[in-house]
C-alpha cells in the first residue's frame, strides 16, 4: 500500500522537531536557489524553469516520497538530456517526455521494482556521472570566457550546419575554438575569481554555500562596474550577442497540459525511458546515502512513486525533470532536517524568494553561474571513484570507459541503453558463476553495486 514517509513522520511530531526542520529547510532552500537557476540554464531553458521545478517537484518529492530527508529538484544529471530534447522537440516535447517519465516511475514503484536499481553496476553509474560532469563543464566554456559565437550565418561543423549553439560535445567545442577571438577578458576574470572563491570558501565555511555568496557578490560587482567603469558582461536578463533573453516572473505559471498525440508519444518514448531510469538511479542512490547518514531506512517503491508524481506535476507548471539531489539532501541532514517537513519548507522558501526577489535574478552574471556549474561538475565527476576503478579489474575499467565515452561523445540516452545492457550481462554472468560455486562460505565482496 502506498504510504508516504510524511504520514509516518507526523506521528509524535513536536515543536522541537519542527524548529529543526524549519532551519534546515530554509538553509537548503538558499543552497538550492543558485543550483536551480544554473541547472536550468545548462539545460538550455529559462532559469525560471529551474525555480519552478525546485518548488513544485521539491514539494511533491518530500510530500509523497519514501525517504524522510530526501530533497528533490533539478540536477546536473538531466542537463544533457534536457538540452538535447529542447533542441530537437522544443519545450512542449520536453514536457511530454517528462510526464511520460513520471508515469513510468509510478509504474515502477507500483509494481515494486525499486529494488532492481541496486543491480546496476557502480562502474556504469560512475561512467554516467563522470560523462555528465564533463558535458556540463564543456557547456560552460562559452560563458566562462564570455565568448560570443556568430550564428548570423549558419556555421558549418563536421559536415553539418548550425544556426545556434549545438548540443553535441564535439561540435560545441569546435564552435568555442572558432569563437576564441571574441573572448571577454572581464567575464573571464569574473568567472575565475568566482570559481576560486567557491573552492576557498568551502574549505573554511560549510554551513553557508559559497555558490549563494558568489551570486550575490558577483551581481553587486557587475552592476557597480557597469555603472561606474563601463565594464559589461552577459547576465541572465541581457546578452551581448542578443541571441538569448530570459525573464524570471514573480509568480508560478498557470498549469498547462503538454501534447499527448500518439505520434509525439511514440517519438519521445525512448527519451522518457532515459529520464525515468536516470531519475530512479539518482533518487534511490541519494536515498541510500541519506540512510547511511541518518541510520534510517527508505521505502524504494514509495520513493519511485513520489518521484513519478513530482515529474508529472513539474512540467505542468513549466518545470523540467527532477530527482533526489544528493548534495542538497546531505545539506538538509547536516543542518538538522529529520522529516519531510524540511523538504516542504525548502520548497516554500524558494517560492517566497521567487515571489519577492525573482525579478532581481536577471542581474546575475552568466560568468558567475558558469563558475557555479563548473564547481558542480568538479564535485560530480567522482575522481576518487574513478581512481579506484582504474586501479581495479580491467573489465570494470572497460565498462566505465565505454559508458563514459558514449555519454560524452554520442548521447546519454544511448549510454543508458548500453549501460543497462551491460548491467544485465553483469548480473547474468555473476548469477552463472554463483550457480557454479560450491555452497560454502562466500568470499564475494558485493563491490561495484549501488
Amino acid at each position: 500500500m502506498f504510504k508516504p514517509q510524511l504520514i509516518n513522520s507526523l506521528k509524535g511530531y513536536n515543536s522541537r522537531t519542527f524548529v529543526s526542520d524549519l532551519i534546515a529547510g530554509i538553509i537548503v532552500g538558499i543552497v538550492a536557489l543558485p543550483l536551480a537557476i544554473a541547472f536550468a540554464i545548462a539545460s538550455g531553458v529559462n532559469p525560471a524553469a529551474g525555480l519552478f521545478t525546485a518548488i513544485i517537484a521539491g514539494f511533491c518529492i518530500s510530500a509523497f516520497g519514501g525517504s524522510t530527508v530526501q530533497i528533490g529538484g533539478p540536477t546536473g544529471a538531466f542537463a544533457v538530456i534536457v538540452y538535447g530534447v529542447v533542441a530537437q522537440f522544443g519545450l512542449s516535447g520536453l514536457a511530454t517526455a517528462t510526464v511520460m517519465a513520471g508515469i513510468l516511475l509510478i509504474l515502477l514503484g507500483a509494481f515494486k521494482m525499486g529494488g532492481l536499481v541496486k543491480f546496476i553496476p557502480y562502474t556504469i553509474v560512475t561512467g554516467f556521472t563522470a560523462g555528465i560532469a564533463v558535458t556540463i563543464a564543456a557547456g560552460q566554456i562559452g560563458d566562462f570566457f564570455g565568448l560570443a559565437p556568430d550564428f548570423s550565418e549558419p556555421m558549418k561543423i563536421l559536415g553539418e550546419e548550425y544556426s545556434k549553439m549545438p548540443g553535441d560535445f564535439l561540435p560545441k567545442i569546435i564552435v568555442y575554438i572558432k569563437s576564441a577571438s571574441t573572448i571577454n577578458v572581464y567575464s573571464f576574470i569574473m568567472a575565475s575569481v568566482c570559481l576560486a572563491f567557491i573552492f576557498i570558501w568551502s574549505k573554511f565555511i560549510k554551513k553557508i554555500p559559497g555558490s549563494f555568496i558568489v551570486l550575490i557578490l558577483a551581481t553587486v560587482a557587475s552592476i557597480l562596474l557597469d555603472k561606474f567603469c563601463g565594464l559589461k558582461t552577459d547576465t541572465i536578463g541581457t546578452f551581448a550577442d542578443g541571441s538569448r533573453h530570459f525573464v524570471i516572473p514573480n509568480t508560478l505559471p498557470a498549469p498547462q497540459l503538454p501534447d499527448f498525440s500518439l505520434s509525439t508519444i511514440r517519438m519521445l518514448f525512448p527519451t522518457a525511458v532515459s529520464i525515468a531510469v536516470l531519475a530512479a538511479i539518482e533518487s534511490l542512490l541519494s536515498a541510500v546515502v541519506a540512510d547511511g547518514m541518518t541510520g534510517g531506512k527508505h521505502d524504494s517503491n514509495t520513493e519511485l512513486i513520489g518521484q513519478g508524481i513530482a515529474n508529472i506535476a513539474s512540467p505542468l507548471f513549466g518545470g523540467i525533470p527532477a530527482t533526489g539531489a544528493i548534495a542538497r539532501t546531505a545539506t538538509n541532514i547536516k543542518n538538522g532536517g529529520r522529516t519531510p517537513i524540511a523538504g516542504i519548507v525548502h520548497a516554500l522558501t524558494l517560492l517566497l524568494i521567487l515571489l519577492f526577489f525573482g525579478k532581481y535574478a536577471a542581474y546575475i552574471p552568466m560568468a558567475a553561474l558558469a563558475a557555479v556549474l563548473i564547481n558542480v561538475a568538479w564535485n560530480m565527476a567522482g575522481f576518487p571513484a574513478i581512481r579506484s576503478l582504474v586501479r581495479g579489474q580491467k573489465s570494470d575499467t572497460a565498462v566505465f570507459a565505454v559508458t563514459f565515452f558514449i555519454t560524452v561523445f554520442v548521447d546519454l540516452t544511448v549510454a543508458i541503453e548500453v549501460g543497462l545492457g551491460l548491467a544485465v550481462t553483469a548480473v547474468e554472468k555473476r548469477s552463472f558463476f554463483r550457480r557454479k560455486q560450491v555452497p560454502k562460505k562466500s568470499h564475494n565482496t558485493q563491490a561495484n553495486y549501488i
Side-chain angles (χ1 to χ4, degrees), residues 286-301:
S286 176
V288 169
V289 172
D291 287 348
M293 295 178 69
T294 63
K297 185 173 176 60
H298 75 282
D299 183 327
S300 59
N301 295 311

Side-chain angles (χ1 to χ4, degrees), residues 10 44 47 229-230 243 273 301 319 321 327 390 392 422 449:
L10 291 177
C229 304
S243 64
V273 172
N301 295 311
V390 171
L422 292 172
Y449 287 112

Side-chain angles (χ1 to χ4, degrees), residues 335-350:
N335 286 281
R338 288 298 177 266
T339 78
I341 296 296
I344 292 174
V345 170
H346 135 269
L348 294 176
T349 299
L350 286 168

Side-chain angles (χ1 to χ4, degrees), residues 305-450:
I305 293 174
Q307 296 288 337
I309 293 171
N311 279 286
I312 291 174
S314 175
L316 299 183
F317 290 89
I320 59 179
T323 185
I326 296 176
R328 274 160 276 175
T329 298
T331 301
N332 180 39
I333 296 168
K334 290 177 181 177
N335 286 281
R338 288 298 177 266
T339 78
I341 296 296
I344 292 174
V345 170
H346 135 269
L348 294 176
T349 299
L350 286 168
L351 176 60
L352 291 174
I353 292 173
L354 175 71
L355 295 176
F356 295 103
F357 303 103
K359 60 183 179 181
Y360 298 110
Y363 298 100
I364 296 175
M366 295 299 296
L369 282 173
V372 169
L373 280 167
I374 288 175
N375 177 63
V376 168
W378 177 269
N379 294 328
M380 191 177 176
F383 292 109
I386 294 172
R387 284 194 293 268
S388 177
L389 285 175
V390 171
R391 293 169 184 166
Q393 297 180 7
K394 291 183 179 180
S395 59
D396 287 345
T397 304
V399 171
F400 162 78
V402 168
T403 311
F404 172 79
F405 284 113
I406 292 177
T407 301
V408 174
F409 292 101
V410 184
D411 182 70
L412 183 58
T413 300
V414 176
I416 289 175
E417 292 170 355
V418 173
L420 290 176
L422 292 172
V424 171
T425 303
V427 171
E428 288 294 328
K429 183 177 178 181
R430 187 175 290 269
S431 299
F432 173 78
F433 283 112
R434 279 176 178 166
R435 289 195 295 271
K436 290 288 186 180
Q437 288 176 349
V438 179
K440 44 169 85 168
K441 185 176 180 181
S442 173
H443 295 287
N444 243 346
T445 64
Q446 298 179 357
N448 297 338
Y449 287 112
I450 61 173

Side-chain angles (χ1 to χ4, degrees), residues 30-370:
I30 293 172
V31 171
L33 175 66
L35 296 177
I37 293 173
F39 288 144
I41 290 178
S43 302
V45 299
N46 193 309
L51 290 175
F52 299 156
T53 307
I55 294 166
I56 301 298
F59 177 89
C60 292
I61 287 170
S62 294
F64 302 108
S67 170
T68 56
V69 291
Q70 182 89 281
I71 299 295
T75 68
F78 286 121
V80 181
I81 290 182
V82 173
Y83 194 99
V85 175
V86 171
Q88 189 172 357
F89 303 106
L91 293 174
S92 176
L94 173 64
T96 303
T98 306
V99 171
M100 289 166 61
I103 294 171
L104 291 174
L105 284 165
I106 290 176
L107 291 175
L108 286 173
F111 286 99
K112 301 188 183 302
M113 300 179 71
L116 294 179
V117 175
K118 68 183 179 182
F119 291 110
I120 297 179
Y122 184 64
T123 49
I124 294 173
V125 175
T126 305
F128 286 155
T129 307
I132 292 167
V134 169
T135 307
I136 290 173
Q140 304 314 304
I141 293 174
D143 290 324
F144 195 92
F145 289 92
L147 302 179
D150 183 9
F151 289 105
S152 56
E153 294 183 4
M155 193 179 295
K156 193 166 185 178
I157 302 168
L158 300 176
E160 298 284 338
E161 288 190 348
Y162 295 91
S163 57
K164 61 180 181 179
M165 181 62 71
D168 294 335
F169 179 80
L170 272 180
K172 187 177 292 185
I173 296 299
I174 292 173
V175 168
Y176 290 147
I177 293 172
K178 288 187 173 183
S179 308
S181 61
T182 65
I183 185 172
N184 183 327
V185 177
Y186 167 46
S187 296
F188 172 64
I189 292 173
M190 173 175 282
S192 300
V193 170
C194 288
L195 185 59
F197 181 92
I198 293 171
F199 275 114
I200 295 170
W201 181 275
S202 64
K203 301 295 182 184
F204 299 98
I205 300 175
K206 305 292 184 182
K207 291 279 186 180
I208 305 173
S211 56
F212 180 72
I213 302 300
V214 151
L215 290 194
I216 293 175
L217 295 179
T219 301
V220 172
S222 176
I223 293 172
L224 294 177
L225 289 171
D226 182 11
K227 185 175 182 179
F228 295 106
C229 304
L231 295 173
K232 295 184 180 294
T233 184
D234 289 350
T235 66
I236 285 178
T238 58
F239 293 85
D241 60 1
S243 64
R244 298 174 290 178
H245 182 76
F246 294 131
V247 176
I248 296 182
N250 58 355
T251 184
L252 286 173
Q256 187 173 357
L257 287 174
D259 175 22
F260 284 116
S261 63
L262 188 60
S263 59
T264 302
I265 291 174
R266 189 184 300 114
M267 187 168 48
L268 289 170
F269 185 75
T271 301
V273 172
S274 297
I275 293 173
V277 170
L278 202 56
I281 292 172
E282 192 167 3
S283 63
L284 295 183
L285 177 60
S286 176
V288 169
V289 172
D291 287 348
M293 295 178 69
T294 63
K297 185 173 176 60
H298 75 282
D299 183 327
S300 59
N301 295 311
T302 301
E303 181 63 22
L304 289 180
I305 293 174
Q307 296 288 337
I309 293 171
N311 279 286
I312 291 174
S314 175
L316 299 183
F317 290 89
I320 59 179
T323 185
I326 296 176
R328 274 160 276 175
T329 298
T331 301
N332 180 39
I333 296 168
K334 290 177 181 177
N335 286 281
R338 288 298 177 266
T339 78
I341 296 296
I344 292 174
V345 170
H346 135 269
L348 294 176
T349 299
L350 286 168
L351 176 60
L352 291 174
I353 292 173
L354 175 71
L355 295 176
F356 295 103
F357 303 103
K359 60 183 179 181
Y360 298 110
Y363 298 100
I364 296 175
M366 295 299 296
L369 282 173

